[in-house]
């Protein structure tokens, strides 16, 4: 069976991030031939085009993680109706130098959770816009707009029973999407 590496990018640096909990719950639903690893983005410097020809260690590590991955999985909070700056910063780093984007052609999935009912939907829509420009085939449906509820995540790290079938269906679609689009 072919093995697939997934690079996971969480748009929150917060210790108790709901988005990290959500993506970890999704990873638990993936088949055994998928291995998913979170790529740190908190130590990236603010993107500066002057440094394109001398990327620091954190930037090189980010680009290598993306390059080695068969697919990307983004979990984003919504900050003021868009994606957090740290996430956009990471995306900009991975996209440069011009013509050497690490993102191009990589299949992607987008999920998110927020405390509000819109469930990070507007942030996800903004992210989709960016990913389209970066030439990343991104799974369209189902959309994952989760609202935080007490007890949503069980102590084991699984999502609670009432949301599990939905997240499993998303994961199955994502797995098929990566399998289809991975080079
Ligand atoms: C938020 N939050 C938020 N929620 C939302 O639904 N729409 C929004 O526009 C915003 N804006 C916003 C801005 C900033 C600066 C912060 C810190 C928060 C609330 C947000 O959804 C909530 O803090 C989530 O818990 C953030 O995700 P993590 O860190 O738990 O993954």
């Amino acid at each position: 069976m072919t093995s697939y590496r997934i690079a996971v990018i969480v748009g929150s640096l917060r210790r108790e991030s709901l988005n990290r909990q959500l993506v970890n719950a999704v990873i638990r639903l993936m088949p055994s031939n998928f291995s998913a690893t979170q790529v740190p983005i908190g130590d990236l410097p603010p993107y500066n085009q002057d440094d394109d020809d001398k990327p620091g260690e954190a930037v090189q590590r980010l680009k290598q993680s993306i390059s080695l991955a068969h697919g990307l999985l983004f979990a984003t909070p919504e900050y003021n109706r868009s994606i957090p700056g740290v996430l956009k910063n990471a995306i900009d780093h991975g996209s440069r130098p011009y013509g050497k984007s690490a993102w191009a052609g990589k299949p992607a999935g987008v999920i998110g959770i927020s405390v509000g009912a819109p469930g990070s939907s507007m942030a996800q829509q903004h992210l989709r816009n960016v990913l389209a420009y970066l030439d990343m085939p991104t799974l369209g449906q189902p959309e994952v707009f989760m609202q935080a509820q007490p007890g949503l995540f069980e102590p084991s790290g699984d999502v609670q029973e009432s949301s599990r079938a939905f997240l499993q269906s998303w994961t199955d679609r994502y797995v098929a999407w990566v399998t289809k689009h991975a080079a």
Side-chain angles (χ1 to χ4, degrees):
M1 202 191 286
T2 311
S3 297
Y4 294 91
R5 281 184 301 275
I6 303 302
V8 175
I9 301 199
V10 178
S12 170
L13 305 182
R14 201 165 72 83
R15 260 189 307 278
E16 301 298 323
S17 166
L18 293 164
N19 283 278
R20 193 171 308 105
Q21 293 180 65
L22 176 63
V23 85
N24 283 337
V26 165
I27 290 168
R28 294 166 78 96
L29 300 173
M30 288 181 181
S32 59
N33 62 323
F34 271 62
S35 64
T37 311
Q38 196 187 318
V39 181
I41 61 170
D43 55 352
L44 293 167
Y47 175 75
N48 180 342
Q49 196 177 356
D50 290 341
D51 298 331
D52 271 5
D53 56 355
K54 45 178 185 321
E57 202 179 306
V59 177
Q60 290 182 48
R61 191 206 53 233
L62 171 83
K63 289 199 76 169
Q64 195 188 26
S65 301
I66 302 163
S67 298
L68 291 174
H70 297 96
L72 271 296
L73 174 51
F74 294 90
T76 186
E78 184 166 296
Y79 278 8
N80 301 312
R81 295 287 181 262
S82 188
I83 58 174
V86 288
L87 175 54
K88 184 61 163 57
N89 187 51
I91 292 173
D92 292 342
H93 271 296
S95 72
R96 291 284 161 152
Y98 182 75
K100 293 192 174 157
S101 169
W103 306 109
K106 301 278 178 185
V110 175
I111 61 175
I113 181 168
S114 80
V115 292
S120 94
S121 53
M122 203 168 283
Q124 291 188 43
Q125 210 53 48
H126 281 192
L127 178 57
R128 286 177 182 279
N129 198 51
V130 175
L131 302 186
Y133 175 72
L134 293 171
D135 200 18
M136 300 178 74
T138 303
L139 179 65
Q141 293 292 340
E143 295 166 306
V144 179
F145 302 151
M146 304 282 286
Q147 182 178 15
Q149 306 282 357
L152 178 61
F153 300 107
E154 296 182 348
S156 64
D158 286 334
V159 74
Q160 71 184 10
E161 181 76 38
S162 59
S163 298
R164 207 168 298 158
F166 168 65
L167 275 192
Q168 185 68 68
S169 72
W170 185 89
T171 306
D172 293 348
R173 287 285 299 271
Y174 174 72
V175 164
W177 186 256
V178 171
T179 305
K180 180 175 162 190
H181 289 278

